[in-house]
Amino acid sequence: MDRIPILQIGDMLLVSIQVDLQDHTALALQDDLSNRIVETGAKGVLIDISALEIVDSFIGRMISTTAAVSRVLDAETVVVGMQPAVAITLVELGLTLTGVRTALDVDRGIRLLRRTLDEPIGRGDATFDERLTE
Amino acid sequence: MSASPNDAPSVVPVKADSDVVRVRQCVRDVAVAARLSLVDQTKLVTAASELARNTLLYGGGGEATIRVVERGAVTGVEVVFADDGPGIADVDRALTDGWTSGSGLGLGLSGAKRLVDEFDLKTSPGAGTTVTIVKWKR
């Protein structure tokens, strides 16, 4: 069975989907990622979908579920590189990936994760003004 | 590479998970040959992916027929999904966003319909389901 490789870089996991995803491959990736988060204690997950030519409701659900599961396992997920035509189609299909954080490319995704992970615990809800004065 | 309605239609069996990917690839090839825009290609391929999965999961397998069609001066791509499955008892409900008889999101039929220019569903209980979609070149 095809499996998507998951690379560990420090406290992040990087997944780059480079094949046309079969449903069972997408489900296997969801399982593998959850297991790797627990094994490695990773705090961030970056999923690069720049090579995906479509995201249908099945793949969209896999992405949403992966983000939700990783949050429960104390890791943040950022999805990067969605092609514009894919984004337009996804929204028209009726999927908005609510709760999934996105960035335009891997570089921005890593910076977004870094900022999130470096934020001191418990200050996530602090207002902008409070952060400035601390 | 160009495409015309005289080209032989491509028939892709939909019997397994991997066939859904084959349908996507074949629809993409024909949509590119028919010179649909990238966004229209993506919408058609995504709709085809939803419907191929329905054919597999709910229709018990079937086939997809992909061809170039013409109406007047306009070219388009037509995909027909046919299965001999149990059919759909309540078509209105099946076309409602969020309704599903299985474990999906309930966006397959309704979402696919939104992504294409023409959508025709023929079904009756016990007599299988045929869904025809067309995306016209703009």
Side-chain angles (χ1 to χ4, degrees):
Chain A
M1 189 158 96
D2 291 340
R3 283 202 125 77
I4 310 287
I6 301 171
L7 308 177
Q8 185 182 359
I9 304 168
D11 55 359
M12 292 184 197
L13 298 177
L14 174 64
V15 179
S16 187
I17 303 171
Q18 297 289 328
V19 293
D20 203 342
L21 271 185
Q22 284 186 33
D23 290 359
H24 67 81
T25 314
L27 289 177
L29 175 61
Q30 197 174 304
D31 286 355
D32 289 349
L33 255 180
S34 315
N35 289 329
R36 285 294 295 277
I37 290 170
V38 173
E39 277 165 29
T40 60
K43 294 292 175 194
V45 177
L46 204 72
I47 304 177
D48 171 29
I49 60 165
S50 57
L52 279 190
E53 292 184 334
I54 67 146
V55 173
D56 64 8
S57 65
F58 193 90
I59 301 168
R61 181 169 59 150
M62 183 277 285
I63 291 171
S64 291
T65 308
T66 301
V69 169
S70 66
R71 197 168 301 125
V72 174
L73 296 174
D74 194 23
E76 278 294 325
T77 299
V78 177
V79 173
V80 305
M82 187 183 293
Q83 295 177 16
V86 172
I88 292 168
T89 303
L90 198 60
V91 171
E92 201 159 318
L93 182 65
L95 276 179
T96 48
L97 299 187
T98 312
V100 179
R101 308 180 77 175
T102 57
L104 288 180
D105 53 40
V106 173
D107 202 33
R108 287 180 169 95
I110 288 175
R111 272 185 277 155
L112 174 61
L113 273 179
R114 204 65 279 153
R115 267 204 312 277
T116 312
L117 302 185
D118 290 345
E119 222 164 60
I121 293 163
R123 292 189 192 173
D125 296 323
T127 64
F128 187 61
D129 286 335
E130 279 168 348
R131 283 183 206 174
L132 277 183
T133 51
E134 272 168 7
Chain B
M1 185 178 161
S2 67
S4 92
N6 299 324
D7 296 342
S10 308
V11 179
V12 181
V14 183
K15 306 279 182 208
D17 214 21
S18 54
D19 293 331
V20 176
V21 172
R22 288 185 56 223
V23 169
R24 294 204 288 247
Q25 287 164 349
C26 189
V27 171
R28 171 77 68 177
D29 288 346
V30 176
V32 168
R35 302 219 169 99
L36 262 59
S37 72
L38 179 60
V39 171
D40 285 343
Q41 287 171 33
T42 307
K43 287 181 179 177
L44 181 65
V45 173
T46 305
S49 182
E50 301 290 346
L51 296 173
R53 188 177 294 108
N54 282 357
T55 298
L56 184 65
L57 293 182
Y58 305 115
E63 62 182 28
T65 307
I66 304 136
R67 64 190 184 104
V68 175
V69 286
E70 242 171 33
R71 182 187 291 162
V74 192
T75 310
V77 177
E78 178 193 82
V79 191
V80 181
F81 296 88
D83 68 60
D84 298 319
I88 303 171
D90 188 340
V91 173
D92 287 341
R93 196 162 63 154
L95 281 167
T96 306
D97 263 355
W99 189 84
T100 176
S101 63
S103 56
L105 291 172
L107 289 172
L109 273 183
S110 53
K113 189 179 178 186
R114 273 196 295 276
L115 292 174
V116 294
D117 298 319
E118 284 175 34
F119 182 96
D120 179 60
L121 180 94
K122 285 191 173 61
T123 184
S124 59
T129 301
T130 303
V131 182
T132 304
I133 55 174
V134 180
K135 191 84 186 164
W136 296 106
K137 183 179 185 305
R138 272 183 284 209

